[in-house]
Amino acid sequence: MGARVILAPMPRPRPPRPFVPDPAQMALAPGVSGNAINGLGETAPRRARMVYWAPDPDTIPHGAMQRWFYSATPPDPRFAEVRAWRQAIYDAPLPEVTGPPAQRSPGDWTAALGRFVDEGLCEKTGVAEMRADWVYEGRAVPQSRVIMIGVAHDYGAMDQAPGIPAAVEVLRQYGRAALAAKTIAGWLREQGWAAEPATGPMTGALLMIPPALACGFGELGKHGSIIDRDMGASFRLAAVLTDAPFAPTPPAEHGIDAFCAACRICEDACPPEAIKPDKQTVRGETRWYVDFDACLPYFNQTQGCAICIAVCPWSRPGVGPSLAAKLARRADRRASP
């Protein structure tokens, strides 16, 4: 009998490059670059400035393009259905802060978050001590702790990016992330601790990615999204701000940064060619950065794109843990005398 041949699944065809933006959308582009607003090329540290997803689009240079995004939603009933469901979550009131603050050790407070993962409300939690540079310019966060929450996408839906199923799935997980944040905030309020949920996609006071990296949600990927060991890049974030004395959880490294340096899958799959091969300097930090001005028009025209998330090898179910273990073994071999 001949050797068994295992055929790898054929990759899903992606849109061709180069991408040509809709002229009607580009007529709304402002005179200032989104990359400049983000601080690309700046060597001195500063706080981030709001560039998109403004609660009031009229307050940002790219507000007209944000409104164009709303107007370009395909006439598919799934969008209206999931948006109405998500809005009901956003609108639901939080319980009042009641009674004296419950007392637990910092470790016990953090361990108690495991209940929300066990119940399926979210897939991951972590805790970080707040830092001023995680707050947008002109905004303030008075709380001392930030609880980060991760909810995973359905891979089958995301693998259809940039199609409608992927766009609807992103909306759904933003709603689920908001539900998790409001549930955890409500739990804390009922134990006497003030707590405020912070949810997306609209920009609030808090940057989501930096505290998530600080408390164990993996590493920043070449595509500008976090790559987590278990969820890959295919998840959404929410947060809860509080002064309850949670113990911080440590950052996590799995060799993802070096992996991204050698991998070109998301870079080659990006229709507007917004993902670059090398790190760049942004507000005094050298890191992976996605060209905002190239990404946004395609993002808008496809209701969120997500191709880079879908094609990322870490996002495929079951791949992350085995890949992390392989990279760890390789690092151990290199470190051995």
Side-chain angles (χ1 to χ4, degrees):
M1 182 181 293
R4 183 184 176 193
V5 177
I6 300 176
L7 298 177
M10 291 293 292
R12 179 178 295 276
R14 303 294 175 187
R17 301 193 302 180
F19 162 68
V20 179
D22 184 331
Q25 180 188 183
M26 297 313 297
L28 303 174
V32 61
S33 164
N35 295 323
I37 297 171
N38 281 332
L40 179 64
E42 294 181 17
T43 57
R46 67 163 171 84
R47 289 190 184 183
R49 294 171 185 151
M50 188 183 302
V51 66
Y52 206 64
W53 291 127
D56 179 359
D58 293 336
T59 62
I60 60 170
H62 291 80
M65 295 183 77
Q66 183 175 321
R67 291 192 184 281
W68 189 93
F69 173 90
Y70 302 145
S71 70
T73 301
D76 188 298
R78 288 172 289 182
F79 282 102
E81 179 183 350
V82 74
R83 281 178 172 150
W85 167 77
R86 186 183 65 175
Q87 192 61 46
I89 293 170
Y90 291 160
D91 294 342
L94 290 167
E96 297 294 328
V97 179
T98 56
Q103 300 301 311
R104 303 185 188 202
S105 71
D108 285 347
W109 273 115
T110 300
L113 294 172
R115 153 195 166 190
F116 301 102
V117 176
D118 293 341
E119 292 174 354
L121 190 69
C122 56
E123 274 63 64
K124 187 164 187 167
T125 61
V127 180
E129 294 184 354
M130 267 301 307
R131 287 174 39 177
D133 58 336
W134 296 344
V135 181
Y136 279 98
E137 188 177 89
R139 305 295 297 274
V141 172
Q143 294 89 348
S144 63
R145 295 288 189 278
V146 52
I147 301 167
M148 295 307 302
I149 299 160
V151 295
H153 289 129
D154 175 78
Y155 178 77
M158 295 305 291
D159 191 44
Q160 298 182 61
I164 289 176
V168 172
E169 174 65 9
V170 170
L171 291 175
R172 182 176 292 111
Q173 294 309 325
Y174 269 126
R176 189 165 162 249
L179 177 61
K182 296 191 77 168
T183 301
I184 292 173
W187 165 69
L188 282 168
R189 285 168 165 254
E190 289 170 347
Q191 297 188 74
W193 289 94
E196 296 294 334
T199 64
M202 293 304 175
T203 304
L206 179 73
L207 283 84
M208 294 286 185
I209 288 180
L213 292 171
C215 71
F217 279 70
E219 301 168 56
L220 188 67
K222 180 182 280 190
H223 43 43
S225 296
I226 296 177
I227 299 177
D228 180 77
R229 173 187 176 275
D230 298 307
M231 297 182 289
S234 192
F235 65 100
R236 296 289 148 176
L237 292 168
V240 175
L241 303 168
T242 185
D243 284 321
F246 285 85
T249 50
E253 293 186 4
H254 304 290
I256 293 169
D257 183 72
F259 180 95
C260 282
C263 180
R264 294 192 55 180
I265 291 176
C266 67
E267 183 185 340
D268 290 341
C270 179
E273 301 178 84
I275 301 172
K276 306 305 179 184
D278 300 307
K279 294 182 179 181
Q280 301 179 74
T281 301
V282 183
R283 300 193 304 276
E285 179 186 5
T286 300
R287 61 174 176 83
W288 298 115
Y289 177 81
V290 175
D291 186 329
F292 180 89
D293 296 335
C295 176
L296 182 63
Y298 191 82
F299 176 96
N300 276 356
Q301 286 179 218
T302 57
Q303 286 296 300
C305 183
I307 289 174
C308 57
I309 289 174
V311 302
C312 180
W314 293 83
S315 294
R316 188 174 291 275
V319 168
S322 60
L323 187 53
K326 179 180 179 180
L327 293 173
R329 290 192 299 269
R330 183 180 299 171
D332 288 343
R333 288 195 299 270
R334 289 175 177 170
S336 300

Short mmCIF file of all heavy atoms in Angstrom, two decimals, residues 23-60:
data_model
loop_
_atom_site.label_atom_id
_atom_site.label_comp_id
_atom_site.label_asym_id
_atom_site.label_seq_id
_atom_site.Cartn_x
_atom_site.Cartn_y
_atom_site.Cartn_z
N PRO A 23 -14.89 56.17 -5.18
CA PRO A 23 -14.65 57.62 -5.25
C PRO A 23 -15.59 58.43 -4.36
O PRO A 23 -15.20 59.47 -3.83
CB PRO A 23 -14.86 57.95 -6.73
CG PRO A 23 -14.61 56.67 -7.45
CD PRO A 23 -15.09 55.59 -6.51
N ALA A 24 -16.83 57.96 -4.19
CA ALA A 24 -17.78 58.69 -3.35
C ALA A 24 -17.32 58.72 -1.91
O ALA A 24 -17.50 59.72 -1.21
CB ALA A 24 -19.16 58.04 -3.46
N GLN A 25 -16.73 57.60 -1.47
CA GLN A 25 -16.21 57.58 -0.11
C GLN A 25 -14.98 58.48 0.01
O GLN A 25 -14.84 59.26 0.95
CB GLN A 25 -15.85 56.16 0.34
CG GLN A 25 -15.31 56.13 1.76
CD GLN A 25 -14.76 54.80 2.21
OE1 GLN A 25 -14.35 54.65 3.34
NE2 GLN A 25 -14.72 53.81 1.33
N MET A 26 -14.08 58.38 -0.95
CA MET A 26 -12.83 59.12 -0.87
C MET A 26 -13.04 60.63 -0.98
O MET A 26 -12.21 61.42 -0.52
CB MET A 26 -11.86 58.64 -1.95
CG MET A 26 -11.45 57.17 -1.79
SD MET A 26 -10.97 56.73 -0.08
CE MET A 26 -9.53 57.77 0.13
N ALA A 27 -14.16 61.03 -1.56
CA ALA A 27 -14.47 62.46 -1.61
C ALA A 27 -14.72 63.02 -0.22
O ALA A 27 -14.67 64.25 -0.02
CB ALA A 27 -15.69 62.69 -2.50
N LEU A 28 -14.97 62.14 0.75
CA LEU A 28 -15.23 62.56 2.13
C LEU A 28 -13.98 62.53 3.00
O LEU A 28 -14.03 62.92 4.17
CB LEU A 28 -16.29 61.63 2.75
CG LEU A 28 -17.62 61.54 2.01
CD1 LEU A 28 -18.50 60.48 2.66
CD2 LEU A 28 -18.32 62.89 1.99
N ALA A 29 -12.85 62.09 2.45
CA ALA A 29 -11.63 61.99 3.23
C ALA A 29 -11.16 63.37 3.66
O ALA A 29 -11.20 64.32 2.87
CB ALA A 29 -10.54 61.29 2.42
N PRO A 30 -10.70 63.51 4.90
CA PRO A 30 -10.25 64.82 5.37
C PRO A 30 -8.86 65.17 4.84
O PRO A 30 -8.17 64.33 4.24
CB PRO A 30 -10.21 64.63 6.89
CG PRO A 30 -9.86 63.19 7.07
CD PRO A 30 -10.58 62.47 5.94
N GLY A 31 -8.44 66.38 5.08
CA GLY A 31 -7.13 66.81 4.62
C GLY A 31 -5.99 66.32 5.49
O GLY A 31 -4.82 66.45 5.12
N VAL A 32 -6.31 65.75 6.65
CA VAL A 32 -5.28 65.26 7.56
C VAL A 32 -5.22 63.74 7.49
O VAL A 32 -6.24 63.06 7.37
CB VAL A 32 -5.56 65.72 9.02
CG1 VAL A 32 -6.90 65.18 9.50
CG2 VAL A 32 -4.45 65.28 9.96
N SER A 33 -4.02 63.19 7.56
CA SER A 33 -3.83 61.75 7.53
C SER A 33 -4.19 61.13 8.88
O SER A 33 -3.83 61.65 9.94
CB SER A 33 -2.37 61.43 7.20
OG SER A 33 -2.05 60.09 7.51
N GLY A 34 -4.88 59.99 8.82
CA GLY A 34 -5.15 59.25 10.05
C GLY A 34 -3.87 58.74 10.69
O GLY A 34 -3.78 58.59 11.91
N ASN A 35 -2.87 58.46 9.86
CA ASN A 35 -1.57 58.04 10.39
C ASN A 35 -0.94 59.15 11.23
O ASN A 35 -0.30 58.88 12.25
CB ASN A 35 -0.64 57.63 9.26
CG ASN A 35 -1.13 56.41 8.51
OD1 ASN A 35 -1.69 55.49 9.11
ND2 ASN A 35 -0.95 56.40 7.20
N ALA A 36 -1.11 60.40 10.80
CA ALA A 36 -0.57 61.52 11.56
C ALA A 36 -1.31 61.66 12.89
O ALA A 36 -0.69 61.92 13.94
CB ALA A 36 -0.68 62.81 10.75
N ILE A 37 -2.63 61.47 12.88
CA ILE A 37 -3.39 61.54 14.13
C ILE A 37 -2.93 60.43 15.08
O ILE A 37 -2.80 60.65 16.29
CB ILE A 37 -4.90 61.40 13.83
CG1 ILE A 37 -5.39 62.58 12.99
CG2 ILE A 37 -5.70 61.33 15.14
CD1 ILE A 37 -6.80 62.43 12.48
N ASN A 38 -2.63 59.27 14.53
CA ASN A 38 -2.18 58.15 15.36
C ASN A 38 -0.74 58.31 15.86
O ASN A 38 -0.31 57.56 16.74
CB ASN A 38 -2.29 56.84 14.57
CG ASN A 38 -3.70 56.30 14.54
OD1 ASN A 38 -4.49 56.56 15.45
ND2 ASN A 38 -4.03 55.56 13.49
N GLY A 39 0.00 59.25 15.28
CA GLY A 39 1.37 59.47 15.73
C GLY A 39 2.42 58.67 15.01
O GLY A 39 3.52 58.47 15.54
N LEU A 40 2.14 58.23 13.79
CA LEU A 40 3.13 57.48 13.03
C LEU A 40 4.35 58.36 12.75
O LEU A 40 4.22 59.48 12.26
CB LEU A 40 2.51 57.00 11.71
CG LEU A 40 3.45 56.21 10.79
CD1 LEU A 40 3.89 54.90 11.45
CD2 LEU A 40 2.77 55.93 9.44
N GLY A 41 5.52 57.84 13.08
CA GLY A 41 6.76 58.56 12.85
C GLY A 41 7.17 59.47 13.99
O GLY A 41 8.28 60.00 13.99
N GLU A 42 6.30 59.66 14.97
CA GLU A 42 6.64 60.52 16.11
C GLU A 42 7.57 59.76 17.06
O GLU A 42 7.26 58.62 17.44
CB GLU A 42 5.39 60.97 16.84
CG GLU A 42 4.49 61.88 16.02
CD GLU A 42 3.26 62.34 16.80
OE1 GLU A 42 3.25 62.22 18.04
OE2 GLU A 42 2.30 62.82 16.16
N THR A 43 8.64 60.39 17.46
CA THR A 43 9.63 59.72 18.32
C THR A 43 9.42 59.98 19.80
O THR A 43 10.04 59.32 20.63
CB THR A 43 11.04 60.15 17.93
OG1 THR A 43 11.14 61.59 18.02
CG2 THR A 43 11.36 59.72 16.49
N ALA A 44 8.57 60.93 20.14
CA ALA A 44 8.32 61.25 21.56
C ALA A 44 7.00 60.62 21.99
O ALA A 44 6.01 60.65 21.25
CB ALA A 44 8.27 62.76 21.77
N PRO A 45 6.94 60.05 23.19
CA PRO A 45 5.68 59.48 23.68
C PRO A 45 4.62 60.56 23.89
O PRO A 45 4.93 61.69 24.26
CB PRO A 45 6.08 58.84 25.02
CG PRO A 45 7.56 58.69 24.97
CD PRO A 45 8.05 59.82 24.12
N ARG A 46 3.41 60.21 23.62
CA ARG A 46 2.24 61.05 23.94
C ARG A 46 1.02 60.16 24.00
O ARG A 46 1.05 59.00 23.55
CB ARG A 46 2.05 62.17 22.93
CG ARG A 46 1.65 61.70 21.52
CD ARG A 46 1.08 62.85 20.72
NE ARG A 46 0.86 62.54 19.32
CZ ARG A 46 -0.22 61.91 18.82
NH1 ARG A 46 -1.18 61.50 19.65
NH2 ARG A 46 -0.34 61.68 17.52
N ARG A 47 -0.06 60.69 24.54
CA ARG A 47 -1.30 59.93 24.57
C ARG A 47 -1.91 59.82 23.17
O ARG A 47 -1.70 60.68 22.32
CB ARG A 47 -2.30 60.59 25.52
CG ARG A 47 -1.95 60.47 26.99
CD ARG A 47 -3.12 60.94 27.82
NE ARG A 47 -2.82 60.94 29.24
CZ ARG A 47 -3.70 61.25 30.18
NH1 ARG A 47 -4.94 61.61 29.83
NH2 ARG A 47 -3.36 61.23 31.45
N ALA A 48 -2.68 58.77 22.98
CA ALA A 48 -3.37 58.58 21.70
C ALA A 48 -4.49 59.59 21.53
O ALA A 48 -5.06 60.08 22.52
CB ALA A 48 -3.94 57.16 21.64
N ARG A 49 -4.80 59.90 20.28
CA ARG A 49 -5.93 60.78 19.96
C ARG A 49 -6.99 59.97 19.22
O ARG A 49 -6.67 59.05 18.46
CB ARG A 49 -5.45 61.94 19.08
CG ARG A 49 -4.48 62.88 19.80
CD ARG A 49 -3.85 63.88 18.87
NE ARG A 49 -2.84 64.67 19.58
CZ ARG A 49 -1.78 65.21 19.03
NH1 ARG A 49 -1.57 65.06 17.72
NH2 ARG A 49 -0.93 65.91 19.75
N MET A 50 -8.24 60.33 19.45
CA MET A 50 -9.33 59.62 18.78
C MET A 50 -9.22 59.82 17.28
O MET A 50 -9.09 60.93 16.79
CB MET A 50 -10.68 60.15 19.29
CG MET A 50 -11.86 59.34 18.80
SD MET A 50 -13.47 60.04 19.33
CE MET A 50 -13.30 60.03 21.12
N VAL A 51 -9.29 58.70 16.55
CA VAL A 51 -9.18 58.78 15.10
C VAL A 51 -10.41 58.23 14.40
O VAL A 51 -10.73 58.64 13.28
CB VAL A 51 -7.90 58.03 14.63
CG1 VAL A 51 -8.00 56.54 14.89
CG2 VAL A 51 -7.63 58.31 13.15
N TYR A 52 -11.16 57.34 15.06
CA TYR A 52 -12.34 56.74 14.42
C TYR A 52 -13.27 56.21 15.49
O TYR A 52 -12.91 56.17 16.67
CB TYR A 52 -11.91 55.62 13.47
CG TYR A 52 -12.90 55.38 12.34
CD1 TYR A 52 -13.14 56.36 11.38
CD2 TYR A 52 -13.56 54.18 12.20
CE1 TYR A 52 -14.02 56.15 10.33
CE2 TYR A 52 -14.45 53.95 11.15
CZ TYR A 52 -14.68 54.95 10.22
OH TYR A 52 -15.56 54.74 9.19
N TRP A 53 -14.47 55.79 15.06
CA TRP A 53 -15.49 55.30 15.99
C TRP A 53 -15.80 56.31 17.09
O TRP A 53 -15.93 55.98 18.26
CB TRP A 53 -15.11 53.95 16.60
CG TRP A 53 -15.10 52.82 15.64
CD1 TRP A 53 -14.09 51.94 15.40
CD2 TRP A 53 -16.16 52.45 14.74
NE1 TRP A 53 -14.43 51.06 14.41
CE2 TRP A 53 -15.70 51.34 13.98
CE3 TRP A 53 -17.43 52.95 14.49
CZ2 TRP A 53 -16.48 50.73 13.01
CZ3 TRP A 53 -18.22 52.35 13.51
CH2 TRP A 53 -17.73 51.25 12.79
N ALA A 54 -15.91 57.57 16.69
CA ALA A 54 -16.28 58.61 17.64
C ALA A 54 -17.76 58.51 17.98
O ALA A 54 -18.60 58.31 17.08
CB ALA A 54 -15.99 59.99 17.06
N PRO A 55 -18.14 58.64 19.26
CA PRO A 55 -19.57 58.66 19.60
C PRO A 55 -20.32 59.76 18.83
O PRO A 55 -21.47 59.58 18.45
CB PRO A 55 -19.56 58.94 21.10
CG PRO A 55 -18.24 58.37 21.57
CD PRO A 55 -17.28 58.65 20.44
N ASP A 56 -19.65 60.88 18.58
CA ASP A 56 -20.20 61.94 17.73
C ASP A 56 -19.24 62.12 16.56
O ASP A 56 -18.18 62.74 16.71
CB ASP A 56 -20.33 63.24 18.52
CG ASP A 56 -20.87 64.38 17.65
OD1 ASP A 56 -21.12 64.16 16.44
OD2 ASP A 56 -21.03 65.50 18.17
N PRO A 57 -19.56 61.58 15.39
CA PRO A 57 -18.62 61.66 14.25
C PRO A 57 -18.22 63.08 13.87
O PRO A 57 -17.15 63.28 13.29
CB PRO A 57 -19.39 60.97 13.12
CG PRO A 57 -20.36 60.08 13.80
CD PRO A 57 -20.76 60.81 15.04
N ASP A 58 -19.05 64.06 14.20
CA ASP A 58 -18.74 65.43 13.82
C ASP A 58 -17.56 66.00 14.59
O ASP A 58 -17.07 67.08 14.25
CB ASP A 58 -19.96 66.33 14.03
CG ASP A 58 -21.11 65.99 13.08
OD1 ASP A 58 -20.83 65.41 12.01
OD2 ASP A 58 -22.27 66.28 13.42
N THR A 59 -17.08 65.28 15.59
CA THR A 59 -15.97 65.79 16.41
C THR A 59 -14.61 65.32 15.92
O THR A 59 -13.59 65.69 16.52
CB THR A 59 -16.15 65.36 17.88
OG1 THR A 59 -16.12 63.92 17.96
CG2 THR A 59 -17.47 65.87 18.45
N ILE A 60 -14.55 64.50 14.87
CA ILE A 60 -13.26 63.99 14.39
C ILE A 60 -13.11 64.27 12.90
O ILE A 60 -14.11 64.38 12.17
CB ILE A 60 -13.11 62.47 14.65
CG1 ILE A 60 -14.23 61.68 13.92
CG2 ILE A 60 -13.10 62.17 16.14
CD1 ILE A 60 -14.00 60.18 13.92
#
